[in-house]
Amino acid sequence: MAPNASVASSCPSPMHATSNGVFQGDNPLDYALPLAILQILLVVALTRTLAFLLRPLRQPRVIAEIVGGILLGPSAFGRNKAYLDAVFPDKSLTVLDTLANLGLLFFLFLVGLELDLKALRRTGKKAFSIAIVGISLPFIIGIGTSFALRATISKGVQGPAFLVFIGVALSITAFPVLACILVELKLLTTDLGRMAMSAAAVNDIVAWILLALAIALSGDDSSPLVSLWVFLCSSAFVLCCAFGVPPIFKWMAQRCPEGEPVKELYVCATLAAVLAAGFVTDTIGIHALFGAFVIGVLVPKEGPFAGAMVEKVEDLVSGLFLPLYFVSSGLKTNITTISGAQSWGLLVLVIITACFGKIVGTVVVSLFCKVPLQESLALGFLMNTKGLVELIVLNIGKDRKVLNDQTFAIMVLMAVFTTFITTPLVIAVYKPAKRKNNYYKDRCIGKKETNTELRILACFYSIRNIPTMINLIEASRGTEKKERLCVYAMHLMELTERPSSILMVHKARKNGLPFWNKGSQSNSDQIVVAFEAFQQLSRVSIRPMTAISAMSDMHEDICASAERKRTAMIILPFHKHQRWDGALETTRAEFRVINKKVLEQAPCSVGILVDRGFGGTTHISASHVSSNVKVLFFGGHDDCEALAFGMRMAKHPGISLNVIHLLPGPAMMEEAKETVGVDIQEDDSNISFGPQDENALAELKQKILIDSSIKYEVRQVENSSETIAAIKEFSGCNLFLVGRNPQGVVANGLSVKSECPELGPVGNLLTSADFSTTASVLVVQRHRGHTFSSESEGSVSSKVEVMPDPGEDLEIK
């Protein structure tokens, strides 16, 4: 009984779930739930702080999470035994590991959702060859390295399992981490990023198969029949899932139409299936995460079902529970075990062999496939990315007692080092040539020659922006054949490190081959259908595009696309939308920042559209268009541009144009004369300020002689109050066209609270709560004369451009 008693005394006593509180004399850290909460808060705070500090180095968040886990473990903070016993006592590790593995279970489900087997079957020979050679060479070299480790610091471990674990650890490419790095470098939707992601996806599948083999070989039983049974049962599980699960998910997906929420029953059933699959694979003996990964791979990627599952799971799992897995790994990592020349020499050997096998293998096969040297090197460094998947392999190996503490620490440091150097090495070797400025003459509406095609870049964020945008395009299309209008309709989509962003890129690529797919997916995207219908009903050439990038640099995509497509104007939606009561409320503050940056850097004229339902909530056919457009003209380049746009709209038979020219009266002129201190002639009160205004008004008067739908009215005002009152008289219209920076005595005397400087004084007046109108507003800024440089060294603008010609492929820039 003595041995049993000693064993019992060495085991920590189980923890109760909740405490009675400090006032009852309980220490919350002695109970499972409050201690787990403290651990989660500590982990999130530390990892997010490290991620912020590493942001200037352009490192993915996984680096901060791995380093944070190591710091919280015995390598750093854990050297203080009082801290370790209080925050991470041995009796809490079971709860911590359970939460961490539960989070890992659902994260692997998300990883499986990212992998589209249909897309893998379409993987080109280049990507497939790069993936196979990129995993074979480092796997072989890893087996060689394992002999050196077994002869020194890993004596007595299981031979076959150890060889396979080391081989997998050195040859794996972390698919989710690679995607994050490509996002950071703005390479995700380039040719290089597409090839890297395709190769990494194939690599991922092969690595999971090898890992399952390694787990099957690492059983405690020495009989080879056990490993054989594990392998056969695992194969049977995968086959059963492959044939039985997809029809069920397909049935669910068919009952989840686009635009409607996915039923809670289907979400719960899917999450339960993930847990059940994890239970089965854990029972077989190949770890629960494999079952979750298989279910994720088998979920259909078409329709809203996969996206809904990502939205339900990813924030809680990626933000809270997954970092616990890194802490769990960090508590097992003790860097102090790496001591002496032999240990540090083995660390250097492992890093060199890992980098050599992966990089050289990838570069050689890439050059053989006629990939340029610069891209081949960048691809080699990208494929050398480790991360979470590496830690999963190492943790399973340590739990199975295949890896000892010293070997585990060496392999963890290797994973951190190889991932950390990926970004700087890619920036150093991959320097795309700077795009030459795309010089073209027609960068504004006012200079547009009538015998050339007018090109407009119309941007939108959601379906809410579509009706008004299409009705504005319809009103601007002109009537004569020589006045062709080409509209590039750019869907602006935010790209983040979340798994849903990767799914979004896959969806954009698939829809782009071609964009208007006449097959079963033609009705899956309401935006595509809307523009397709509009083009068929009008003579406007619509070319939908999708810009996928982070909010912080989305303006670069907009400006670069405008310059490359030689557009005369960019139309942006205002960052506020109209509520049911008529008031404007902010949609997202980031949209306002994007608008400001585009105004500063645009290579052409810019219009900001304040949508109050111009033309109604649906597209109006040409025969039913009946709208009144008013141009408030003060003077200056921006007002002239707004007037030029209005005169083009007036060519539409359903549009009537009213131009209201606001001029200063004698009292305002006298006040301006005294304020400015210059001599203003009496005749100046009857003319605009500047030759550009005279030319614009002269052209307008010529148009009036031949077009009865255009009216011109001069209104004299004596002060700011009269100006505002005069503008309110004309509020009964459908659309206001105003310049962003009006000039002249009247504009200078207009006192309006500037809540949104990007709209200018008149735009702010028309959108203020004090101004009652149902008219939409287009605030126009004329091109300032500068051009936009779209590229910088070491990065590529991240976008997917989708062209409308069914014969064209998806254009990836």
Side-chain angles (χ1 to χ4, degrees), residues 273-559:
V274 172
L275 294 173
F279 176 81
V280 172
T281 52
D282 191 77
T283 302
I284 292 172
I286 57 167
H287 207 285
L289 61 87
F290 280 97
F293 178 74
V294 170
I295 295 298
V297 170
L298 295 177
V299 171
K301 308 305 185 286
E302 298 82 7
F305 188 73
M309 292 307 307
V310 171
E311 290 178 3
K312 300 288 184 183
V313 176
E314 68 176 337
D315 287 332
L316 182 64
V317 171
S318 301
L320 286 180
F321 289 118
L322 190 62
L324 295 181
Y325 191 79
F326 294 99
V327 174
S328 178
S329 300
L331 293 173
K332 301 173 187 174
T333 306
N334 192 351
I335 298 178
T336 58
T337 59
I338 307 176
S339 59
Q342 183 187 66
S343 296
W344 288 105
L346 288 171
L347 173 61
V348 174
L349 173 66
V350 170
I351 292 175
I352 291 176
T353 52
C355 296
F356 178 84
K358 201 71 176 177
I359 296 172
V360 172
T362 302
V363 170
V364 170
V365 71
S366 299
L367 292 174
F368 183 77
C369 294
K370 298 182 180 179
V371 177
L373 177 61
Q374 189 183 50
E375 293 188 14
S376 298
L377 289 171
L379 197 57
F381 293 134
L382 288 169
M383 296 299 291
N384 194 39
T385 303
K386 310 296 182 190
L388 174 63
V389 185
E390 174 91 0
L391 283 189
I392 294 172
V393 174
L394 298 178
N395 275 281
I396 293 176
K398 192 171 191 308
D399 293 339
R400 300 266 173 158
K401 296 184 172 34
V402 176
L403 305 177
N404 59 24
D405 291 345
Q406 194 170 358
T407 306
F408 182 80
I410 287 175
M411 301 303 289
V412 169
L413 288 182
M414 180 271 294
V416 174
F417 179 81
T418 54
T419 306
F420 187 87
I421 65 172
T422 298
T423 299
L425 286 178
V426 172
I427 293 176
V429 302
Y430 188 62
K431 298 179 182 294
K434 290 185 179 180
R435 187 184 300 277
K436 295 181 180 179
N437 284 334
N438 189 6
Y439 292 106
Y440 61 99
K441 181 170 59 175
D442 298 315
R443 294 180 180 268
C444 53
I445 304 292
K447 284 187 177 181
K448 194 71 202 170
E449 297 179 6
T450 57
N451 59 349
T452 59
E453 181 182 66
L454 174 63
R455 298 185 176 190
I456 293 176
L457 178 65
C459 303
F460 56 92
Y461 296 99
S462 65
I463 296 176
R464 177 189 292 153
N465 308 132
I466 301 299
T468 294
M469 195 69 74
I470 288 182
N471 291 329
L472 181 64
I473 294 169
E474 165 65 34
S476 310
R477 65 181 176 85
T479 55
E480 300 179 17
K481 290 184 178 180
K482 63 181 180 179
E483 296 174 340
R484 300 184 305 275
L485 175 62
C486 177
V487 177
Y488 296 92
M490 177 176 278
H491 188 186
L492 304 176
M493 303 176 73
E494 182 182 10
L495 186 64
T496 66
E497 294 185 6
R498 299 165 64 174
S500 55
S501 296
I502 313 303
L503 287 175
M504 185 169 59
V505 174
H506 292 328
K507 182 179 179 181
R509 284 178 178 161
K510 181 182 63 179
N511 287 346
L513 297 173
F515 190 84
W516 289 323
N517 187 349
K518 302 301 181 183
S520 60
Q521 297 302 318
S522 59
N523 295 324
S524 63
D525 192 335
Q526 299 179 36
I527 294 174
V528 179
V529 174
F531 281 111
E532 181 182 19
F534 175 63
Q535 177 165 263
Q536 291 176 349
L537 295 173
S538 68
R539 295 200 318 271
V540 179
S541 176
I542 301 289
R543 301 188 179 183
M545 307 160 65
T546 304
I548 305 177
S549 56
M551 284 292 183
S552 59
D553 48 23
M554 190 172 283
H555 66 284
E556 296 179 6
D557 282 355
I558 297 172
C559 295

Side-chain angles (χ1 to χ4, degrees), residues 471-767:
N471 291 329
L472 181 64
I473 294 169
E474 165 65 34
S476 310
R477 65 181 176 85
T479 55
E480 300 179 17
K481 290 184 178 180
K482 63 181 180 179
E483 296 174 340
R484 300 184 305 275
L485 175 62
C486 177
V487 177
Y488 296 92
M490 177 176 278
H491 188 186
L492 304 176
M493 303 176 73
E494 182 182 10
L495 186 64
T496 66
E497 294 185 6
R498 299 165 64 174
S500 55
S501 296
I502 313 303
L503 287 175
M504 185 169 59
V505 174
H506 292 328
K507 182 179 179 181
R509 284 178 178 161
K510 181 182 63 179
N511 287 346
L513 297 173
F515 190 84
W516 289 323
N517 187 349
K518 302 301 181 183
S520 60
Q521 297 302 318
S522 59
N523 295 324
S524 63
D525 192 335
Q526 299 179 36
I527 294 174
V528 179
V529 174
F531 281 111
E532 181 182 19
F534 175 63
Q535 177 165 263
Q536 291 176 349
L537 295 173
S538 68
R539 295 200 318 271
V540 179
S541 176
I542 301 289
R543 301 188 179 183
M545 307 160 65
T546 304
I548 305 177
S549 56
M551 284 292 183
S552 59
D553 48 23
M554 190 172 283
H555 66 284
E556 296 179 6
D557 282 355
I558 297 172
C559 295
S561 296
E563 184 157 9
R564 187 172 57 256
K565 300 304 180 186
R566 298 171 176 265
T567 60
M569 175 174 281
I570 301 170
I571 299 179
L572 300 166
F574 189 46
H575 71 277
K576 295 182 179 182
H577 68 272
Q578 189 176 34
R579 295 190 316 219
W580 62 272
D581 59 354
L584 294 174
E585 66 176 0
T586 300
T587 306
R588 280 189 65 176
E590 294 93 334
F591 297 164
R592 182 183 184 185
V593 177
I594 293 172
N595 290 351
K596 287 181 177 180
K597 291 182 178 179
V598 172
L599 286 170
E600 294 171 359
Q601 304 179 22
C604 59
S605 295
V606 180
I608 296 181
L609 179 61
V610 181
D611 181 10
R612 287 197 179 106
F614 176 58
T617 58
T618 59
H619 166 233
I620 305 175
S621 61
S623 59
H624 292 85
V625 172
S626 178
S627 298
N628 181 263
V629 177
K630 284 187 169 59
V631 177
L632 300 178
F633 190 86
F634 295 83
H637 292 289
D638 292 351
D639 280 28
C640 291
E641 183 74 351
L643 179 59
F645 195 84
M647 286 192 290
R648 180 179 178 91
M649 296 180 69
K651 296 176 182 178
H652 194 289
I655 299 294
S656 60
L657 177 69
N658 290 52
V659 180
I660 295 88
H661 191 182
L662 295 162
L663 289 175
M668 181 175 281
M669 287 295 299
E670 187 65 26
E671 182 181 353
K673 179 179 178 181
E674 294 175 359
T675 303
V676 178
V678 297
D679 186 19
I680 302 178
Q681 302 296 326
E682 291 295 328
D683 292 340
D684 290 341
S685 61
N686 297 320
I687 63 172
S688 297
F689 293 81
Q692 75 278 354
D693 302 336
E694 295 180 7
N695 295 335
L697 292 174
E699 183 180 352
L700 171 65
K701 292 171 182 178
Q702 290 180 356
K703 295 282 186 182
I704 293 175
L705 297 176
I706 58 176
D707 191 347
S708 60
S709 66
I710 303 177
K711 295 181 180 179
Y712 174 66
E713 180 178 345
V714 176
R715 178 67 64 92
Q716 282 193 345
V717 293
E718 297 294 351
N719 51 47
S720 175
S721 299
E722 287 191 14
T723 304
I724 295 174
I727 294 175
K728 287 184 176 180
E729 288 183 23
F730 301 103
S731 61
C733 63
N734 301 104
L735 176 68
F736 278 109
L737 290 174
V738 299
R740 182 189 175 216
N741 295 305
Q743 298 176 6
V745 176
V746 178
N748 293 338
L750 188 63
S751 58
V752 178
K753 184 179 179 181
S754 182
E755 295 182 358
C756 301
E758 66 272 20
L759 295 183
V762 183
N764 273 282
L765 173 64
L766 296 175
T767 56

